[in-house]
Amino acid sequence: MAFPERFSNLPDYAFPRLRKLLDAYAPGGEPIAMTIGEPRHAMPDFVGPILAANLSGFGVYPPNEGTPELLATISGWIARRYDVTVAEDRLMALNGTREGLFNACIALCPETKNGRKPVVLMPNPFYQVYAVAALTVGAEPVYVPATAATGFLPDYASLPKDVLDRVALAYICSPANPQGAVASADYLADLLALAEKHDFRVLADECYSEIWRDAPPPGLLQVAAGQGADPERVLVFHSLSKRSNLPGLRSGFVAGGPQCMARIRQLRSFAGAPLPLPLQRVAEAAWADEDHVKASRALYHRKFSDADRILSGVQGYQPPGGGFFLWLPVEDGEAAALKLWRETGVRVLPGAYLSREVGGENPGKGYIRVALVATPEETQRGLTLLRDCLYR
Ligand SMILES: Cc1ncc(COP(=O)(O)O)c(C=O)c1O
């Protein structure tokens, strides 16, 4: 029996690849995990009581699109955060943003664009689901460098007109994983203007939007409303995984234009997995509360300041504007990750595991990604070992 060709060139997922690289060697000290993007701050204390009070909800099928109460709470959060009104029919609850980013591409990418194979744009390096989504729908993924030279965001406008005319969808991630770059309102406005000119949609992955340093990152909904853009051009994806330290809840949402949302809703009513009702109740409480988000952000601020102090003087170190990763330049990411593990026990991810080689260049090769998810004390210890091992 044959298998689909379109997934045959997928690289291994980053973490099995990392295990293959490191696990043949003993750690050089007590292991410190700075690899995975799993928040490890405390989850909000209301999770348990709300879950317990809603256990009977496991006995019924949950509404696909989200309960009216959850959607109303999300709409309220968007209004407070971005000062825009998004009616509930423009929202849908997700099982975390990963499945939403994948399914939206299936629901929205046409079979052809201007009579030719459609293109899906994505930054390089990037969150790998974007590429798999593009391959799933038979589109051509185009990996656009997001490097120091481009402010760590993709410069989609620099692509040839021939490519831009085939673009159906463009993914953008701000704050960016892995680089921590934050797209300014001007950047997002230019991207929307490009989308208008070449008639494509923008899928904005904003799952790190609440982890920021100096100012809340602008959101695509807000910029689109400000410039009177066609709402059908814009889809935004948000998550409780990072904002509320609830990666295991699997809860997020997508917001977009009414026609796009009708397509997404239709697809998901056949093939989607709705969030169990008790978990929707927990999600509702989480979107209604900012205190736990502020407390978590304060902890990240402390770790960012420690990183600035410990890594000051490291050439190419750039404090991230948001998210919880450091994207550190090294000569070779795999060699650095291996050396660090063998000499200190600190575990980081080679940048190339998050990026693709295009035209002989891999923009992640000379980097490691370091997640600041542990306690401030452990993070400090890990960063100090890392600096002394790789930069001294
Ligand atoms: C850039 C980015 N987008 C999306 C996700 C998916 O998050 P979730 O499905 O937990 O909302 C992640 C998770 O690590 C991520 O880093």
Side-chain angles (χ1 to χ4, degrees):
M1 287 281 285
F3 289 109
E5 269 302 303
R6 58 188 181 278
F7 301 127
S8 55
N9 289 327
L10 281 185
D12 283 346
Y13 201 63
F15 297 103
R17 234 172 135 184
L18 184 69
R19 285 195 288 275
K20 226 184 267 175
L21 177 74
L22 302 185
D23 286 357
Y25 302 95
E30 194 187 325
I32 301 182
M34 304 184 93
T35 43
I36 197 162
E38 180 178 82
R40 285 199 255 131
H41 297 176
M43 68 175 80
D45 53 14
F46 51 73
V47 172
I50 293 180
L51 203 52
N54 287 280
L55 283 182
S56 63
F58 284 120
V60 294
Y61 278 115
N64 272 318
E65 62 277 11
T67 63
E69 296 84 0
L70 173 58
L71 298 182
T73 308
I74 290 171
S75 177
W77 179 80
I78 293 174
R80 288 193 301 283
R81 173 67 170 81
Y82 295 117
D83 199 19
V84 287
T85 305
V86 176
E88 282 132 50
D89 69 340
R90 290 184 50 195
L91 291 169
M92 184 160 193
L94 298 174
N95 269 293
T97 42
R98 182 171 64 182
E99 64 94 350
L101 290 159
F102 180 72
N103 284 308
C105 183
I106 301 179
L108 301 177
C109 189
E111 284 77 10
T112 58
K113 172 77 187 288
N114 289 330
R116 292 185 294 159
K117 184 172 173 136
V119 159
V120 175
L121 299 180
M122 61 204 71
N124 191 21
F126 60 104
Y127 186 57
Q128 299 291 301
V129 77
Y130 314 151
V132 181
L135 295 174
T136 301
V137 298
E140 179 184 337
V142 170
Y143 309 106
V144 181
T147 61
T150 63
F152 291 112
L153 293 167
D155 181 6
Y156 291 144
S158 69
L159 291 167
K161 180 176 179 307
D162 183 54
V163 173
L164 286 169
D165 284 340
R166 282 198 294 131
V167 176
L169 304 174
Y171 284 100
I172 182 76
C173 183
S174 171
N177 171 9
Q179 311 95 321
V182 171
S184 66
D186 284 348
Y187 176 96
L188 295 174
D190 289 348
L191 179 55
L192 282 177
L194 192 72
E196 189 67 42
K197 184 169 170 202
H198 294 278
D199 190 24
F200 63 83
R201 297 195 168 93
V202 181
L203 274 57
D205 180 351
E206 299 183 348
C207 71
Y208 291 96
S209 67
E210 303 317 288
I211 305 176
W212 43 264
R213 296 197 72 172
D214 303 324
L220 192 62
L221 280 178
Q222 174 184 31
V223 171
Q227 72 184 57
D230 178 354
E232 295 298 336
R233 297 228 172 273
V234 174
L235 278 303
V236 302
F237 299 82
H238 281 264
S239 176
L240 292 176
S241 299
K242 328 289 177 184
R243 174 187 178 273
S244 298
N245 302 309
L246 288 169
L249 187 68
R250 308 310 307 132
S251 179
F253 71 83
V254 53
Q259 290 177 43
C260 287
M261 291 307 299
R263 298 291 180 137
I264 292 174
R265 225 176 266 126
Q266 182 197 35
L267 181 79
R268 289 178 54 94
S269 62
F270 289 106
L275 194 65
L277 201 51
L279 306 191
Q280 294 202 33
R281 300 289 184 220
V282 173
E284 191 188 321
W287 288 112
D289 182 67
E290 284 303 321
D291 289 347
H292 72 279
V293 184
K294 286 182 193 149
S296 182
R297 196 157 49 229
L299 212 49
Y300 283 118
H301 278 188
R302 208 171 126 194
K303 291 189 273 187
F304 282 137
S305 301
D306 288 343
D308 287 352
R309 184 174 40 75
I310 295 166
L311 299 174
S312 76
V314 166
Q315 212 186 357
Y317 168 68
Q318 203 163 315
F324 49 54
F325 298 111
L326 305 178
W327 185 238
L328 298 178
V330 289
E331 206 171 294
D332 176 276
E334 273 195 330
L338 187 57
K339 175 175 160 70
L340 193 58
W341 173 246
R342 295 185 70 179
E343 292 182 13
T344 71
V346 174
R347 213 168 163 96
V348 298
L349 198 66
Y353 293 6
L354 302 165
S355 53
R356 296 294 161 90
E357 185 174 311
V358 180
E361 292 278 319
N362 186 331
K365 192 172 183 327
Y367 287 87
I368 50 172
R369 191 189 75 174
V370 182
L372 305 185
V373 290
T375 60
E377 294 70 28
E378 195 178 48
T379 303
Q380 257 189 36
R381 208 153 47 80
L383 290 177
T384 307
L385 287 166
L386 181 154
R387 177 200 60 198
D388 293 347
C389 175
L390 298 181
Y391 298 105
R392 288 234 160 125

